[in-house]
Amino acid sequence: MPRKLLALACVVVGLHVVGILTLGTSTARGVLGNSLQIFSSGLAAAACLGASRRGRGLSRPFWLLAGCGMATWGLADVGWMYYENWLHMVVPNFSIVRILFDIQGIFFAIALFLDQERDSPSFGLETLLDSLQIAIVFLSVLFGLNYLQSLRGDSDTASALLQTGIFDAINIALAAIAVIRMLSAPTRRLRKLYGGLAFFLVIYTACSSIADYMQAVRHVPTGTWYDLYWTVPFLLGAFWAARWKEPEEPAAAAPHATKNLARLAAKNVSLALAPLIVVAFVVQLGPEWRRTGFTLLAMSILCFATRLGLSEYRQSDSAEIARRNALAMDSAINGMAILDAQGKYIYVNSAYARMIRNTNREAMLGKSWREVSDDRDVAPIVSEVREALKQHGKWFGPLTVHRSDGTVVPTEMAVTTLPDGGTICVTRDISERVSAQRARAETEIKYRMLIEQVAAISYIAELGIHGQWLYVSPQVEKMFGYPAEEWLSNSRDWISHIPVEDHPIVHAAEEASARGEPFQAEYRVTRKDGQVIWVSDTAVVVRGSDSHAVMEGLIVDITDRKMLENQLLQARKMEAVGRLAGGVAHDFNNLLTIIKGYVEMAMNRCQDRPELHSDIRRIEEAADRAVTLVRQLLAFSRKQVLRPKILDLNAIVVNLDQLLRRLMSENIEMKTFVSEDVGAIKADPGQIEQVVMNLVVNARDALPNGGRILIETSNVDLDSTYTRDHAVVRPGPYVLLAVTDTGIGMTADTAAHIFEPFYTTKESGRGTGLGLSTVYGIVKQSGGYIWVYSELGKGTTFKVYLPRVKDAVQVSAAETPASLTHRGHETILLVEDEPAVRELTQMVLCERGYKVIEALTPEDAEHLAGNNGAEIHLLLTDVVMPRMSGRELARRLTSRCPNLRVLYMSGYTYNVIAEDGTLEEGISFLQKPFTPQVLTQKVREALDRPVPAKL
């Protein structure tokens, strides 16, 4: 890698030289120089990223931060090149380019203040707070110095020199800090790391000072020999990062207590110093920068307080951990002792004192190990221990201890060298191995109890579909209905409990496990009682006691999760079908407008030819049926325009009761139960009536041989327990409408498709298959939910949940229709992109005396309104049009002509004039398809209405 990098560096330098010698003073020379500088900084950043991946401990974030600093410089130089070579202008003082050049040093500053003691590869909360504090101080210094410089009012050259001086001073300070950090680093690895950064910063500062000076004083452009003063430092940085290797070295010795105290004091002082520095610069700022300065100060103080609190918490936690560790060591069964560099005991726990001398530990403290140990014990192994400690830093082996009372205790001892030259000894009494084995057996029992209490089946089985199950936890009886013994006895045929459709899933997972890969499958299982549940089976292949491969796994019941997934999938499918139905209905509305319009006109024109009336009436009836069909599609797709009101659901149900009873045959009994305290709902009354009627008619059709229909209303509160089983439902207060029949019922498959348009279980010729899909669309558009519960032979219940509101029920005022004989004289601007609908509308309005100006597109309408704005009284516009909606067109025209009235027409609105299908108050709307009579009535109403304050 260094050789390739050296060759690449030579190419970069060579290109610099070639560009300087051959390109003269052209822009190309500047572009080449800047590009090579950007490439060099990017190369250095990439090398730092590679060093971060190779590093360990603190060096990983160190190299990452160094790379970010170099990459930030390259990004800033891209902006510099843009200003210098494309715009041919000086970079503004407070532009993002200069800010990036100024703040790239933040990353080096953060790298310098990484915690050497922790030597961690990750950014902890303390490190993040320190980094934020450093960034705040850095920005405060920059803001303060630049502001003071701006107050001086120097010339451009002096100002540039001062900015260069500020930049160089910061870099010199960073280099000095790097030297200090290098000298105070506890390990050779960190000294090497910070020494390299100090060298880079010194070279970078020296070179950048020269280059900045030449640019500031002599106005030297990019593309000269001075470009090398930018390129060379980054190439050296790339070499430094590419050659970095983590040195192998033993762990650093723990700092002495006084050193720790000094470092703690220095750290706390440095934490408090940061807000003081920010204060020092903030007070220098003028009023225009005061808010920014105080924001930085507040953030600095917050970081200081948080960091100080976190440090105190860490220290308290460390003290508690140390206390617990000491307590654990004192209470440990194994003997533990710590010796200093001279071989004297400085810590002994009770178990060690009892094991070695059969005495208390106070009697051993301060004594040499030779005074305590019997020569017969240590003489055979002392040379072996010393050699092992010298080579490996640790020794482990058997040691027979002769106590002073004459007893002999066989032990195992581990001796490890400490960083300060001392040793730690851990001794175990082998005579208590039986107790340890007993403890291990108890642990295994606890593990088994834990496994058998989780809500999953744990098992061990041989590989293969017909492999023998060696163990299964008792949960198999709760989940599958089979006792563990019965399941194990027939376990080779366990796949017989899985439906045939899921066998390929299991076979594929078994083939993967045969290759040593994890077994992962989701499939159905038929319980002993016949119920089918979904399970997730996860297992890994391990080696058994005799190196025989087995699978160890868990089986979890995921039936509830699958049910929720199916609900979500069904909701998405219904949404997709709704979009398709809405699009079809939109096109049909335009066609039906034309048909119904010309039918009415034909009827009026052939009053003297009664023999044609019957034929025209047939066409009109067919068009009306098509209109009903389209409106059902719009209801399902939730694209119809609603006029919601605060309603009493009980009043609607009671008012429809007599009408619904007339639809029932004599062998059907219908009962209605409404709760007295049912809350109000916000919905379109006509649509809610349609919901009730469709559900009751559907219930009637499910009772060919008679039965009962029950209609109920009540208040319900759906909580999180209900929403866990119904993923799309939001918890809250609702009003329930339930329609129950005792009819033939439905299968689960039928219930899954019951709300889809044109899906019907009735014989041909009975129904369109849109009744329940219409109900579904109305309920969803009204913000509610509908669920069906059914069982073959037992009946069906539809439950509709509509959001409950606290508003009072509205009393509808009777509307006075506009006169149909009134002839108009006003001017109407007609905007419709469908030619046939536009032609029909123009013809009808002209016959009524109106002057009609036609516009094919919203752009044409704007142009025509500009020429005739003062003469136009009404804008009649389609809502959904290419490039611009009717609402946007109306907003533009009414801003120019405040007295202009607007009448929208559409089959549905795509939320252009109605949010979620709910028509806004004060908007005039003509629903497609419409007849000439309805058109003239709506136009007259719109013209007679006062002009709204705003659209």
Side-chain angles (χ1 to χ4, degrees):
M1 177 65 182
R3 291 184 179 179
K4 294 181 180 179
L5 191 59
L6 178 61
L8 191 58
C10 291
V11 171
V12 171
V13 174
L15 288 174
H16 265 299
V17 174
V18 171
I20 294 169
L21 296 177
T22 61
L23 296 179
T25 59
S26 64
T27 302
R29 187 177 71 172
V31 172
L32 177 62
N34 275 316
S35 299
L36 293 174
Q37 293 170 15
I38 295 167
F39 175 79
S40 299
S41 64
L43 183 64
C48 291
L49 182 60
S52 175
R53 292 176 178 173
R54 298 192 304 272
R56 60 179 172 83
L58 179 142
S59 65
R60 298 191 66 150
F62 175 91
W63 283 114
L64 185 60
L65 289 167
C68 289
M70 297 178 185
T72 302
W73 190 96
L75 184 61
D77 201 35
V78 172
W80 187 279
M81 180 173 66
Y82 172 71
Y83 274 99
E84 185 178 55
N85 300 121
W86 269 266
L87 299 181
H88 301 291
M89 62 179 289
V90 178
V91 179
N93 281 338
F94 290 98
S95 68
I96 186 64
V97 175
R98 291 194 181 273
I99 292 174
L100 286 175
F101 274 125
D102 290 338
I103 68 171
Q104 53 102 12
I106 291 178
F107 297 101
F108 296 115
I110 295 174
L112 288 172
F113 285 96
L114 291 173
D115 194 341
Q116 295 179 353
E117 295 180 9
R118 290 180 65 239
D119 197 8
S120 172
S122 60
F123 282 90
L125 181 57
E126 292 175 332
T127 304
L128 291 175
L129 289 172
D130 290 344
S131 302
L132 181 58
Q133 188 71 278
I134 292 169
I136 292 171
V137 171
F138 206 96
L139 290 173
S140 300
V141 172
L142 286 176
F143 273 121
L145 294 177
N146 280 292
Y147 179 77
L148 292 176
Q149 179 265 329
S150 65
L151 292 178
R152 291 166 58 95
D154 294 333
S155 62
D156 292 342
T157 301
S159 176
L161 278 175
L162 186 56
Q163 288 183 354
T164 301
I166 294 172
F167 184 76
D168 293 339
I170 292 174
N171 287 335
I172 291 171
L174 292 177
I177 295 172
V179 172
I180 295 172
R181 296 289 282 176
M182 176 189 70
L183 297 176
S184 63
T187 63
R188 184 173 64 89
R189 177 174 68 93
L190 295 180
R191 286 193 292 273
K192 182 180 176 182
L193 198 64
Y194 284 105
L197 181 58
F199 176 77
F200 169 77
L201 289 174
V202 168
I203 298 298
Y204 171 74
T205 303
C207 292
S208 63
S209 299
I210 297 172
D212 282 337
Y213 176 80
M214 298 306 297
Q215 287 181 344
V217 176
R218 300 188 180 180
H219 305 289
V220 176
T222 306
T224 66
W225 294 104
Y226 293 103
D227 288 358
L228 293 173
Y229 284 95
W230 294 112
T231 303
V232 170
F234 286 112
L235 293 177
L236 292 176
F239 273 106
W240 168 44
R243 293 177 60 84
W244 170 260
K245 291 182 180 178
E246 288 286 343
E248 295 293 335
E249 60 182 9
H256 193 266
T258 57
K259 242 183 219 186
N260 278 338
L261 184 60
R263 290 188 180 184
L264 180 61
K267 181 179 291 187
N268 288 334
V269 169
S270 65
L271 291 177
L273 190 60
L276 296 178
I277 295 174
V278 177
V279 169
F281 283 97
V282 166
V283 296
Q284 305 295 327
L285 298 178
E288 68 274 14
W289 290 97
R290 193 63 57 83
R291 179 177 296 179
T292 302
F294 279 113
T295 300
L296 291 174
L297 177 60
M299 293 174 62
S300 179
I301 294 173
L302 180 61
C303 286
F304 167 71
T306 306
R307 182 66 168 83
L308 191 61
L310 186 60
S311 297
E312 292 180 357
Y313 172 78
R314 299 286 192 205
Q315 293 169 14
S316 174
D317 191 49
S318 298
E320 178 64 18
I321 291 174
R323 187 188 68 81
R324 290 181 182 177
N325 289 342
L327 181 62
M329 292 171 65
D330 291 340
S331 307
I333 297 176
N334 290 340
M336 303 181 69
I338 301 176
L339 293 81
D340 60 15
Q342 288 73 39
K344 293 182 179 181
Y345 287 105
I346 59 175
Y347 171 80
V348 175
N349 72 351
S350 300
Y352 186 88
R354 185 173 59 254
M355 201 177 301
I356 300 299
R357 289 290 301 271
N358 197 19
T359 184
N360 58 47
R361 57 183 181 176
E362 287 77 11
M364 298 179 63
L365 292 175
K367 294 183 179 180
S368 171
W369 64 272
R370 290 185 180 278
E371 297 179 50
V372 175
S373 304
D374 193 309
D375 289 340
R376 292 173 296 175
D377 302 339
V378 298
I381 62 170
V382 64
S383 59
E384 177 187 345
V385 173
R386 286 177 176 172
E387 186 65 23
L389 293 179
K390 182 179 179 181
Q391 293 186 0
H392 308 292
K394 58 185 176 180
W395 174 85
F396 175 79
L399 175 66
T400 303
V401 176
H402 293 79
R403 290 178 175 171
S404 57
D405 60 0
T407 57
V408 179
V409 181
T411 65
E412 288 178 343
M413 178 173 284
V415 183
T416 305
T417 302
L418 295 175
D420 60 0
T423 55
I424 180 170
C425 302
V426 180
T427 307
R428 181 174 61 180
D429 188 346
I430 300 178
S431 61
E432 297 181 358
R433 181 164 291 173
V434 174
S435 299
Q437 292 175 346
R438 187 181 302 115
R440 185 171 61 251
E442 292 176 357
T443 302
E444 291 177 355
I445 292 173
K446 291 179 181 178
Y447 175 75
R448 181 183 291 269
M449 291 176 61
L450 176 64
I451 288 296
E452 293 178 354
Q453 288 177 2
V454 297
I457 299 173
S458 58
Y459 67 90
I460 302 174
E462 296 176 346
L463 298 181
I465 289 292
H466 301 291
Q468 177 66 40
W469 289 45
L470 307 177
Y471 167 77
V472 66
S473 62
Q475 287 91 329
V476 70
E477 183 170 6
K478 182 178 180 180
M479 193 176 297
F480 293 164
Y482 296 92
E485 297 78 9
E486 182 180 353
W487 183 270
L488 289 174
S489 63
N490 300 313
S491 61
R492 290 189 179 276
D493 193 31
W494 69 281
I495 198 171
S496 63
H497 302 288
I498 300 174
V500 177
E501 297 83 2
D502 293 348
H503 283 192
I505 300 174
V506 179
H507 282 288
E510 287 285 358
E511 291 174 1
S513 64
R515 297 191 297 269
E517 301 174 5
F519 181 100
Q520 175 64 51
E522 293 182 359
Y523 51 85
R524 291 168 295 173
V525 174
T526 304
R527 289 171 40 91
K528 192 174 184 178
D529 58 6
Q531 181 183 353
V532 178
I533 63 172
W534 276 93
V535 299
S536 174
D537 189 350
T538 305
V540 294
V541 179
V542 298
R543 293 293 174 186
S545 57
D546 55 352
S547 298
H548 179 63
V550 296
M551 285 198 309
E552 295 183 0
L554 289 174
I555 298 177
V556 181
D557 187 344
I558 60 169
T559 304
D560 292 342
R561 193 194 81 191
K562 282 292 184 180
M563 180 181 66
L564 295 179
E565 288 177 355
N566 290 336
Q567 290 177 3
L568 290 174
L569 181 63
Q570 179 70 8
R572 292 193 184 102
K573 183 176 68 173
M574 296 290 282
E575 184 68 24
V577 175
R579 290 196 189 99
L580 176 62
V584 172
H586 175 263
D587 294 337
F588 266 79
N589 272 326
N590 281 332
L591 298 176
L592 289 171
T593 299
I594 300 167
I595 295 172
K596 289 180 66 63
Y598 281 104
V599 163
E600 183 173 313
M601 293 175 66
M603 181 66 73
N604 293 334
R605 291 172 179 174
C606 64
Q607 295 292 338
D608 55 345
R609 300 184 64 183
E611 69 275 9
L612 297 179
H613 288 188
S614 176
D615 296 337
I616 296 175
R617 290 292 183 192
R618 293 292 183 92
I619 298 174
E620 185 178 22
E621 291 171 0
D624 289 339
R625 289 196 298 271
V627 169
T628 302
L629 182 64
V630 169
R631 286 180 178 172
Q632 288 176 322
L633 284 175
L634 287 174
F636 167 72
S637 61
R638 288 168 278 165
K639 298 294 191 300
Q640 59 183 344
V641 178
L642 301 181
R643 298 179 183 270
K645 299 179 180 179
I646 306 301
L647 305 175
D648 180 3
L649 181 60
N650 282 352
I652 292 177
V653 172
V654 172
N655 290 339
L656 289 175
D657 184 81
Q658 292 300 322
L659 173 63
L660 294 174
R661 292 183 185 278
R662 296 191 190 101
L663 302 177
M664 302 298 153
S665 59
E666 295 180 355
N667 58 352
I668 295 178
E669 178 186 6
M670 191 183 86
K671 292 185 177 181
T672 302
F673 297 97
V674 292
S675 299
E676 295 181 357
D677 58 345
V678 168
I681 61 173
K682 186 175 183 180
D684 188 310
Q687 300 296 331
I688 297 302
E689 289 178 355
Q690 188 174 356
V691 167
V692 176
M693 293 188 65
N694 284 11
L695 290 177
V696 173
V697 170
N698 184 77
R700 180 203 64 185
D701 294 343
L703 298 168
N705 300 319
R708 292 195 316 165
I709 296 176
L710 179 63
I711 306 174
E712 300 174 275
T713 62
S714 63
N715 289 330
V716 294
D717 291 290
L718 303 182
D719 55 14
S720 57
T721 303
Y722 184 87
T723 58
R724 278 199 297 269
D725 297 330
H726 303 79
V728 297
V729 176
R730 294 182 180 177
Y734 290 84
V735 175
L736 169 65
L737 168 66
V739 178
T740 303
D741 66 70
T742 59
I744 56 179
M746 293 179 285
T747 64
D749 182 66
T750 300
H753 300 279
I754 197 68
F755 295 118
E756 296 177 7
F758 305 113
Y759 181 86
T760 179
T761 57
K762 302 173 185 177
E763 63 271 16
S764 178
R766 290 196 60 196
T768 62
L770 285 171
L772 291 179
S773 61
T774 301
V775 170
Y776 177 87
I778 293 173
V779 171
K780 295 296 287 184
Q781 194 173 5
S782 301
Y785 308 95
I786 181 170
W787 302 98
V788 59
Y789 307 89
S790 184
E791 190 173 343
L792 275 177
K794 295 186 178 181
T796 302
T797 296
F798 286 90
K799 291 186 176 182
V800 176
Y801 297 93
L802 296 170
R804 196 162 72 235
V805 297
K806 297 181 180 180
D807 300 333
V809 176
Q810 297 176 349
V811 179
S812 301
E815 296 183 359
T816 304
S819 173
L820 299 180
T821 59
H822 186 282
R823 290 185 59 80
H825 61 279
E826 294 89 346
T827 301
I828 299 174
L829 176 59
L830 171 62
V831 188
E832 170 61 63
D833 59 341
E834 180 65 34
V837 177
R838 187 175 62 252
E839 179 183 350
L840 172 66
T841 306
Q842 187 267 346
M843 184 186 307
V844 171
L845 294 176
C846 287
E847 288 181 355
R848 291 289 180 177
Y850 297 102
K851 179 183 178 183
V852 179
I853 303 174
E854 295 185 58
L856 281 65
T857 64
E859 291 80 3
D860 293 342
E862 282 192 281
H863 178 71
L864 292 171
N867 298 332
N868 303 276
E871 302 176 6
I872 298 175
H873 301 90
L874 174 68
L875 169 65
L876 176 58
T877 177
D878 193 9
V879 173
V880 181
M881 293 181 291
R883 295 187 298 277
M884 186 190 303
S885 69
R887 182 63 182 273
E888 178 61 25
L889 173 63
R891 187 177 291 112
R892 294 186 182 185
L893 295 185
T894 52
S895 65
R896 285 187 281 173
C897 305
N899 294 323
L900 179 65
R901 293 165 174 80
V902 180
L903 174 60
Y904 298 100
M905 57 180 175
S906 181
Y908 70 106
T909 66
Y910 275 127
N911 289 339
V912 177
I913 64 168
E915 183 67 26
D916 294 327
T918 302
L919 193 64
E920 298 178 13
E921 193 69 29
I923 288 182
S924 299
F925 179 71
L926 174 60
Q927 174 77 49
K928 290 181 180 180
F930 51 78
T931 62
Q933 178 180 344
V934 174
L935 170 62
T936 54
Q937 177 182 336
K938 286 292 184 180
V939 167
R940 191 66 258 164
E941 289 177 358
L943 287 169
D944 293 340
R945 289 181 63 177
V947 178
K950 63 177 182 177
L951 290 173

